[in-house]
Amino acid sequence: MSFNTVDPSDQSDKYEVLFSEEEIQQRVSELAEEISKDYENDPDTPLVLICVLNGAVFFYSDLVKQIKHPNIICEFVSISSYGSGKESSREPKILLDTKNPLADKNVIVIEDIIDSGYSMGALLEILASKDPKSLEVCSLLVKDGRQEIEVPVGYAGFRIPRKLWVQGYGMDTGEEGRTLPFIIVID
Ligand code: IMP
Ligand code: MG
């Protein structure tokens, strides 16, 4: 059975729903409000919101539409980390870099999930070298105690146990499960 074709109303015993569509959307709205408040006193500095493709795509689009700031720039990056497996490669490569200069801008990197921290650690190093005014991380999920590379996550949606592997709302296993509107746990 392919999870991409699953009926959201079918609570199949093949998977466990970790976060429902409603729970995700509620948290996304809270994060958007928090970010809007944090940058409201700096309206003249562009706020660059960077989507980490492909996993963060749905989170990013739901979140960014709700962030209130007069000077938002949307950017997209892609890094290789997992390929089709479940273990981080530890040497992530940049496949798509930002297009606009980041110097003197407020930057928030928007990610689906932080596991070992290798991907975000590598990305932050590259972005920091572009001299932004500020650099923050917003991740929908953070795996507790899994970080081998310390990553400062200013905005965390949900913290989940380290042993879980999740799919849905952008997150996949070898491309499976990405388009589910909710998040499931798989074995
Ligand atoms: P890290 O480099 O180990 O922190 O891995 C981060 C990236 O791996 C995330 O951006 C995801 O794309 C992917 N990833 C980590 N854990 C999971 C998971 O449980 N499900 C799906 N993708 C995951
Ligand atoms: Mg990702």
Side-chain angles (χ1 to χ4, degrees):
M1 169 191 165
S2 164
F3 289 125
N4 285 333
T5 57
V6 81
D7 174 0
S9 63
D10 171 26
Q11 302 295 302
S12 161
D13 57 5
K14 288 215 157 75
Y15 58 83
E16 176 199 335
V17 175
L18 186 62
F19 298 111
S20 68
E21 215 173 333
E22 293 71 27
E23 286 171 314
I24 295 167
Q25 293 306 326
Q26 170 66 31
R27 192 69 190 111
V28 168
S29 297
E30 289 167 7
L31 288 169
E33 206 178 311
E34 202 181 329
I35 292 169
S36 303
K37 278 211 184 87
D38 287 352
Y39 292 87
E40 72 183 358
N41 292 329
D42 199 1
D44 298 329
T45 303
L47 180 59
V48 184
L49 303 172
I50 302 180
C51 176
V52 185
L53 296 171
N54 296 343
V57 65
F58 303 129
F59 175 45
Y60 181 85
S61 90
D62 287 343
L63 179 74
V64 164
K65 283 180 286 189
Q66 297 183 58
I67 294 176
K68 295 185 180 67
H69 190 278
N71 215 340
I72 290 177
I73 296 173
C74 294
E75 278 281 357
F76 300 84
V77 296
S78 176
I79 42 176
S80 66
S81 52
Y82 275 63
S84 56
K86 291 182 182 174
E87 281 302 319
S88 182
S89 72
R90 300 189 175 206
E91 284 177 34
K93 290 181 185 62
I94 278 266
L95 305 175
L96 173 73
D97 207 344
T98 50
K99 294 192 179 124
N100 294 286
L102 303 183
D104 305 319
K105 295 176 179 136
N106 290 320
V107 173
I108 308 177
V109 188
I110 295 164
E111 175 63 301
D112 51 359
I113 181 164
I114 293 176
D115 188 353
S116 69
Y118 277 102
S119 310
M120 187 54 76
L123 182 58
L124 288 179
E125 231 172 79
I126 292 163
L127 297 175
S129 75
K130 298 174 192 263
D131 296 321
K133 179 175 177 181
S134 67
L135 182 56
E136 290 287 345
V137 174
C138 173
S139 186
L140 180 65
L141 303 182
V142 178
K143 285 189 187 170
D144 261 336
R146 274 280 290 181
Q147 280 76 67
E148 294 164 46
I149 301 290
E150 192 81 30
V151 173
V153 186
Y155 306 96
F158 303 99
R159 296 191 180 270
I160 65 169
R162 59 186 298 176
K163 62 177 191 291
L164 298 185
W165 185 265
V166 296
Q167 280 183 188
Y169 198 59
M171 290 167 283
D172 71 312
T173 312
E175 295 306 325
E176 190 171 317
R178 205 188 282 287
T179 60
L180 291 172
F182 45 80
I183 295 171
I184 64 172
V185 175
I186 59 161
D187 298 325

